[in-house]
Amino acid sequence: LIIDVHLRSHENNLAHRTREIDRERLIVRRGQPFSITLQCSDSLPPKHHLELVLHLGKRDEVVIKVQKERGDGDKWWFSQQAAQDEMLLTLHSPADAIIGQYCLALLMMSPHGHIVESTDEIKFHLLFNPWCKDDVVYLPDESLLQEYVMNEDGVIYMGTWDHIKSIPWNYGQFEDYMMDICFEVLDNSKDALKNSEMDIEHRSDPVYVSRMITAMVNSNGDRGVLTGRWNEPYSGGVAPYRWTGSVPILQQWSKAGVKAVKYGQCWVFAAVACTVLRCLGIPTRLITNFASAHDVDGNLSIDFLLNERLESFDRRNKNDSSWNFHCWVESWMRRDDLPKGNDGWQVLDPTPQELSDGEFCCGPCPVTAIKEGNLGVKYDAPFVFAEVNADIIYWIVQRDGQRQKIKVDQQSVGRNISTKSVYGDHREDVTLHYKYPEGSNKEREVYEKAGRRVTEPTNESTEPGELQLSIKHAKPVFGTNFDVIVEVKNEGGRDAHAQLTMLAMAVTYNSLHRGECHRQTISVTVPAHKG
């Protein structure tokens, strides 16, 4: 009775903005109808009717019967139109449908409810739909959608807050078979391998899907895509700074039988996550935070402990640290799982830094919650808050174990937070999305609210500093000497006699110490109220 099925991939994929992914296979977005054509024989017996059934999962874990008439908006339904020997079927998916590969079975039923004929399984893919106002990833601005979903090329910012550099990156989310690899990433998560039916049912939710992706882009503790390495040698793999795009990384992971690719650092992890999220239809952009804090103990401050020779204490590699820059991504979604006011951009960080619910994943965490200091919000808000807001505290630990607080720096962390502009290859500064202006009352108010000031170490003493010290240097050029000027000001009423120790160290961008270059101590006398 059913001679042929035509999926109309060309028309459907164009209407659903998926033609870049594939022109032959049917790929559609949820919450938006699509049509297929059936070629029927002339002699269709009376009172026979069609039924449509959808299957999801490698073992048909989820089965959905497609209703014949419009339901209450949260169900699949279809309508049919007959014309001569053809029948046009229009399928309507709910805006919160599960994303993934579907198998559609067409059943010709007799008046008595027996299956007279069924077609071979018809396969198609369903993605998130940021163009659909009922989808939780809906973004109502076409120029933003063109950048954050459709653009396959980007710019990543790195360097230091006062010397920002950029590199181009090819996300390549619509390259051949990238979409298949992105679903393969989801299929290999711990949750999918443990309980595939529950995992598939959760794939309607971008909060769940994006969190899985942050866990799966790094290979710590699962079958993830990339292994991180932050120091030489990069033998047996590719040095992180040699990659120029995500496609070779994802291809290599898939071809090697989901074996982790060597090596990544923060911008590579973030860029691969950006590729997967854009491919699946979640608007995403890559963010660089300059002077980024890594707060290990969760006290919202970065504590640098030094001995009297100004050498840092090594506490078994679990030191707080401050990085020249750190990259993560933001994805756009509504947070129906949280109180009002948490919709919009969400921080997702796939670089393996700290465990979250026992896994190396981070986010999604609403950017607005970070700005307002609402750290009880899911997921990982205290860690992200510290990355952009921590105070840096320097302590001298004396021989008897007493700690003396020598400097509190409230302004250095989280500067020039950057992303590529929607309007070209230049930098857009998004610092004010994350925090109130540095030094403003509102900023300190949020910090106090967020911190509920975790109690600080005892045995501390701090004296009001009358000597103020600042360091200035010209822009250094590779291979040439450069001058560093140390300026000491005396704000007290008496002349000050002091020992000035200058220490130059080699440090990597992510705070790994590589040894002393130069140390010099001189005696200085600074007249009162002078420098």
Side-chain angles (χ1 to χ4, degrees), residues 4-60:
D4 194 21
V5 180
H6 179 37
L7 296 181
R8 304 163 62 100
S9 299
H10 286 239
E11 300 94 315
N12 285 321
N13 291 9
L14 184 61
H16 287 250
R17 301 172 177 83
T18 59
R19 253 178 110 164
E20 296 292 324
I21 302 176
D22 204 314
R23 295 183 176 215
E24 302 311 316
R25 295 187 292 169
L26 178 59
I27 301 164
V28 289
R29 297 187 185 275
R30 64 186 193 174
Q32 183 177 338
F34 64 96
S35 299
I36 62 174
T37 312
L38 305 189
Q39 202 86 34
C40 304
S41 67
D42 300 338
S43 53
L44 200 59
K47 295 199 176 153
H48 278 54
H49 67 278
L50 266 179
E51 282 190 5
L52 275 60
V53 181
L54 296 166
H55 298 263
L56 271 155
K58 291 190 174 66
R59 294 182 297 282
D60 295 346

Side-chain angles (χ1 to χ4, degrees), residues 102-162:
Y102 283 76
C103 292
L104 169 64
L106 301 173
L107 311 176
M108 187 63 80
M109 310 297 288
S110 73
H112 308 297
H114 298 302
I115 299 172
V116 178
E117 188 178 332
S118 66
T119 60
D120 291 337
E121 290 193 326
I122 299 153
K123 290 184 165 58
F124 67 91
H125 284 84
L126 190 75
L127 304 176
F128 291 108
N129 192 351
W131 285 269
C132 167
K133 69 178 188 334
D134 296 322
D135 195 319
V136 288
V137 299
Y138 174 60
L139 181 56
D141 183 322
E142 186 58 37
S143 58
L144 299 191
L145 289 162
Q146 286 305 316
E147 178 65 39
Y148 300 140
V149 179
M150 304 303 286
N151 195 350
E152 294 188 76
D153 291 299
V155 174
I156 298 174
Y157 295 97
M158 41 181 58
T160 57
W161 70 272
D162 55 349

